[in-house]
């Protein structure tokens, strides 16, 4: 379960010597990027915005999601028979990591991330449950700038695909919580895991120092 995080953390620390060698190859620095997640409105009927600050060697990120709906097909398979609905009023957190590639057209970075998620679970027709999860994880992010070698406003248009793994490390949900599901069975509910997932953000990178 944690192998993906272990691999990313290992890559994270292995990049420090590489950064020193590539410092001259990373001219784009002191940049701010505003990004809007596409999977949240398309698949979760919600909203996500992130702001990133990029230095010569590092990326710092803060993101905030709102009104995310994991019900229906978006709900993990093992939870679909246990809940009527699952919503996340907010999902917020921050991350940072080294830049691995920095080019006018494409960049890539690796980030360690800490996130807080609130969940509202509709257990049955009479019972609802609210709890908060605390996640740690890592992700690989790409920044693709189709007009990166041109001038003008088009230069800042950015597509940001990402692959992330967030592992739940703590939750306000009491241990061994059980209830009666819609089928009349007594079942347990464990903190909802996000684990491995991908996203695509539409972003704009504002001019920075070169």
């Amino acid at each position: 379960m944690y192998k993906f995080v272990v691999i990313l953390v290992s890559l994270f620390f292995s990049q420090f010597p590489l950064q020193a060698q590539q410092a001259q190859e990373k001219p784009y620095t002191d940049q701010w990027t505003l990004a809007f997640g596409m999977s949240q409105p398309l698949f979760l009927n919600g909203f996500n915005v992130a702001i990133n600050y990029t230095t010569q060697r590092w990326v710092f990120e803060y993101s905030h999601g709102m009104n995310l709906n994991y019900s229906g097909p978006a709900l993990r398979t093992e939870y679909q028979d246990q809940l009527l609905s699952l919503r996340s009023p907010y999902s917020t957190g921050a991350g940072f990591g080294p830049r691995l590639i920095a080019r006018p057209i494409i960049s890539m970075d690796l980030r360690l991330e800490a996130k807080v998620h609130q969940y509202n679970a509709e257990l049955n027709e009479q019972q609802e449950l609210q709890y908060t999860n605390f996640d740690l994880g890592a992700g690989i992010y790409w920044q693709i700038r189709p007009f990166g070698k041109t001038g003008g406003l088009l230069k800042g248009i950015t597509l940001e695909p990402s692959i992330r793994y967030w592992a739940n490390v703590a939750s306000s949900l009491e241990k061994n919580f059980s209830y009666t599901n819609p089928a009349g069975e007594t079942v347990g509910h464990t903190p909802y895991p996000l684990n491995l997932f991908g996203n695509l953000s539409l972003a704009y990178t504002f001019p920075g120092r070169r």
Side-chain angles (χ1 to χ4, degrees):
M1 178 178 179
Y2 296 98
K3 289 183 179 179
F4 186 78
V5 174
V6 172
I7 292 172
L8 290 182
V9 170
S10 300
L11 287 172
F12 181 92
F13 287 106
S14 70
Q15 295 306 314
F16 289 104
L18 183 63
Q19 291 177 43
Q21 298 172 8
Q22 294 185 344
Q24 298 303 319
E25 301 176 7
K26 299 180 178 181
Y28 293 89
T29 186
D30 293 342
Q31 289 184 327
W32 291 93
T33 298
L34 185 64
F36 298 92
M38 294 292 99
S39 66
Q40 289 84 359
L42 290 176
F43 302 111
L44 302 178
N45 298 317
F47 177 79
N48 181 267
V49 61
I51 185 166
N52 303 333
Y53 178 67
T54 305
T55 70
Q56 186 179 48
R57 299 183 180 182
W58 299 93
V59 175
F60 300 88
E61 166 216 359
Y62 172 76
S63 67
H64 189 82
M66 294 171 285
N67 301 321
L68 306 176
N69 183 3
Y70 292 97
S71 306
L75 192 65
R76 295 178 65 90
T77 304
E78 62 268 31
Y79 286 81
Q80 289 183 0
D81 293 333
Q82 297 184 16
L83 304 173
L84 292 180
S85 68
L86 181 71
R87 300 176 182 272
S88 179
Y90 70 83
S91 173
T92 190
F96 78 101
R99 303 176 74 191
L100 308 182
I101 300 173
R103 300 289 185 271
I105 299 298
I106 187 169
S107 299
M108 184 176 71
D109 61 81
L110 175 64
R111 302 177 200 174
L112 299 182
E113 299 174 308
K115 300 288 179 176
V116 179
H117 316 277
Q118 185 182 28
Y119 291 103
N120 292 348
E122 188 179 4
L123 306 177
N124 50 50
E125 294 182 355
Q126 292 82 32
Q127 190 176 8
E128 294 186 357
L129 175 68
Q130 294 184 352
Y131 61 93
T132 303
N133 281 358
F134 303 90
D135 289 4
L136 292 177
I140 299 176
Y141 292 75
W142 294 264
Q143 297 81 37
I144 302 170
R145 294 175 286 271
F147 309 102
K149 290 188 176 181
T150 66
L153 296 177
L154 291 178
K155 185 175 182 177
I157 296 175
T158 305
L159 297 175
E160 187 179 66
S162 61
I163 300 175
R164 287 169 271 181
Y165 187 97
W166 293 346
N168 177 248
V169 295
S171 177
S172 65
L173 178 65
E174 64 181 79
K175 293 183 179 180
N176 302 318
F177 177 85
S178 62
Y179 67 100
T180 302
N181 70 3
E185 304 167 329
T186 299
V187 296
H189 181 73
T190 56
Y192 191 73
L194 291 177
N195 293 346
L196 184 66
F197 66 98
N199 194 13
L200 174 65
S201 295
L202 179 62
Y204 191 86
T205 300
F206 297 91
R209 179 168 59 85
R210 297 189 53 171

